[in-house]
Amino acid sequence: MTQTSQPRRAFHSGRGRKTFDRIPGGFYLVGALVILFEAVTLGAVGLALAIGDPGDDGASPDKEPRRVEVTYIATGDHPSVNLTVGEANGNHETHGLVILPYRKTVELAVGADFYLDVASREDQEGGTLTCTVLVGGKAVQQAHSTPGSSSATCAGSTADAPRRDIAVPPLTPGASPLPEERRLSGTVKVPDYPGKGSPVVGTVTDSSLEYAELGGTWDRSETLDPVFDGFTRKQEGRQRALVKSTQVDEDIMAAAGGTGELRGVAGAVMDERRRYEYPRDQAILVDVASQPLKVDGHDAWLLVSEIHFHRRGVPSTRDLNAVLVVDTGRVRPSVLWVVLPETNKKLWPDLNTLVASVRVR
């Protein structure tokens, strides 16, 4: 018997129609396009999240913050001050000695802290000191020293609002500028200072030296304790005039090289007097005379200098200082030190009188 092949059964829906035959062919293309669009969109979003928005200032931690100019100003009636600048949170930098007026502009980040402290130097307390801070060219803070303090401090933020009640101070010098230091290397004779000078009322004998005791506005000569005063005799005159004498001590001899060379010893004595009798680091020496002398046949050296300085409460800004070092034949030479202030210039001829009167005893 011949076997007849049967047709294959087709899958039918519940109504007997083919399931896939019900979907129009065009829908396959639309679906593919939708899937492609979603893939591209998701990829773009992921890429944007990965690289960030270039218009967002805070999106990148490596982006440089916006900066603004900050100007520090220090003024006052002092010639110089100690200055400290930095951040209000304590990261300070000491600038040390600066000459007034002081002005410096730096760049800081917007919102950063600033700090400026203007302080009096040693032996310069009192007077007026002012600190001023500008942000973007506009004053945001200012402070003044008070009678009970010796400094003015400004601390704040570059985000502080400008203040209309602050006047930017003029940058004029707080005191007349000091001259340039000048030390003589050659020989220059002491000038003959004009004028009558003070009368001579007696003689002083000290440390193998004899010299004139002055009258007029001078007090009588008196003895000193060399341990505390460094000298053994002193005579005081009006407005800080002084005459002192002693034997040169070992420390000064060592500072002069220990050779006993009189010119070097005279210079060492002058440097010591400047260091101990005048504002530290603020007294300028201008030599006016440096010459060898003979005193009763003994070798001597005379050094005369003008010391220029500023000290609160002292009207003089220039003193005539003279150091006469005499080899008396003892282990260490003897010295006569003379100070004559500019404010009492009529006493300057007393220097010639004193130098001419010195003898060795």
Side-chain angles (χ1 to χ4, degrees):
M1 178 171 125
T2 307
Q3 196 172 24
T4 305
S5 63
Q6 297 293 326
R8 298 180 60 186
R9 294 186 61 185
F11 292 97
H12 290 272
S13 66
R15 294 182 181 180
R17 296 179 62 186
K18 293 182 179 180
T19 301
F20 292 106
D21 290 345
R22 298 173 59 189
I23 301 175
F27 277 84
Y28 291 111
L29 178 60
V30 173
L33 292 175
V34 170
I35 294 173
L36 179 61
F37 175 78
E38 290 180 351
V40 172
T41 302
L42 290 174
V45 171
L47 182 61
L49 291 175
I51 65 175
D53 183 3
D56 186 1
D57 288 341
S60 174
D62 296 330
K63 187 179 173 98
E64 188 72 23
R66 191 162 63 90
R67 303 180 75 80
V68 66
E69 285 190 346
V70 176
T71 301
Y72 297 113
I73 300 175
T75 54
D77 59 1
H78 293 223
S80 61
V81 293
N82 288 314
L83 195 75
T84 303
V85 299
E87 301 174 0
N89 61 10
N91 185 19
H92 300 160
E93 178 184 356
T94 300
H95 283 224
L97 170 66
V98 298
I99 304 299
L100 293 185
Y102 172 89
R103 180 185 179 113
K104 185 175 182 180
T105 299
V106 299
E107 281 194 352
L108 296 179
V110 173
D113 293 333
F114 60 75
Y115 179 89
L116 173 63
D117 181 74
V118 186
S120 298
R121 304 188 63 234
E122 186 180 354
D123 298 329
Q124 294 291 311
E125 288 80 7
T128 301
L129 296 174
T130 300
C131 65
T132 307
V133 178
L134 313 181
V135 176
K138 297 181 179 179
V140 299
Q141 193 165 138
Q142 186 175 80
H144 307 278
S145 61
T146 63
S149 71
S150 58
S151 66
T153 303
C154 293
S157 168
T158 57
D160 292 347
R163 290 172 48 186
R164 294 185 177 181
D165 61 323
I166 295 178
V168 179
L171 299 183
T172 54
S176 57
L178 298 175
E180 292 291 329
E181 183 111 347
R182 187 183 71 189
R183 307 305 299 265
L184 291 173
S185 57
T187 298
V188 177
K189 291 185 177 181
V190 63
D192 186 10
Y193 292 102
K196 184 177 180 181
S198 302
V200 175
V201 296
T203 58
V204 177
T205 301
D206 177 52
S207 301
S208 300
L209 296 181
E210 182 183 278
Y211 54 90
E213 182 177 12
L214 302 173
T217 60
W218 290 86
D219 297 331
R220 298 306 298 260
S221 179
E222 60 183 25
T223 59
L224 294 175
D225 185 340
V227 175
F228 295 100
D229 296 285
F231 290 85
T232 48
R233 296 286 298 192
K234 174 182 75 171
Q235 186 175 19
E236 292 185 294
R238 186 173 297 174
Q239 298 177 9
R240 299 174 53 257
L242 284 172
V243 177
K244 288 186 175 184
S245 57
T246 191
Q247 188 179 22
V248 178
D249 65 31
E250 294 177 353
D251 290 340
I252 294 180
M253 294 296 292
T259 63
E261 194 269 325
L262 295 179
R263 181 172 192 155
V265 174
V269 173
M270 186 71 77
D271 288 339
E272 186 204 40
R273 292 300 93 210
R274 170 170 61 172
R275 183 165 57 252
Y276 286 105
E277 303 293 337
Y278 292 88
R280 188 179 57 171
D281 300 329
Q282 200 181 328
I284 301 301
L285 273 172
V286 179
D287 290 344
V288 297
S290 185
Q291 68 175 110
L293 292 176
K294 286 289 187 180
V295 175
D296 278 353
H298 295 260
D299 290 334
W301 196 279
L302 175 63
L303 176 62
V304 181
S305 303
E306 294 178 356
I307 298 185
H308 299 255
F309 65 98
H310 295 293
R311 174 181 284 163
R312 295 211 55 79
V314 178
S316 176
T317 60
R318 178 177 60 150
D319 287 350
L320 190 68
N321 276 250
V323 171
L324 176 62
V325 178
V326 182
D327 183 359
T328 61
R330 300 171 66 181
V331 175
R332 297 190 304 275
S334 298
V335 60
L336 180 71
W337 176 52
V338 183
V339 182
L340 302 169
E342 180 185 31
T343 48
N344 201 358
K345 213 169 181 179
K346 67 180 183 180
L347 295 182
W348 283 24
D350 290 351
L351 174 59
N352 302 114
T353 301
L354 286 165
V355 171
S357 71
V358 177
R359 300 288 183 269
V360 174
R361 292 293 180 262

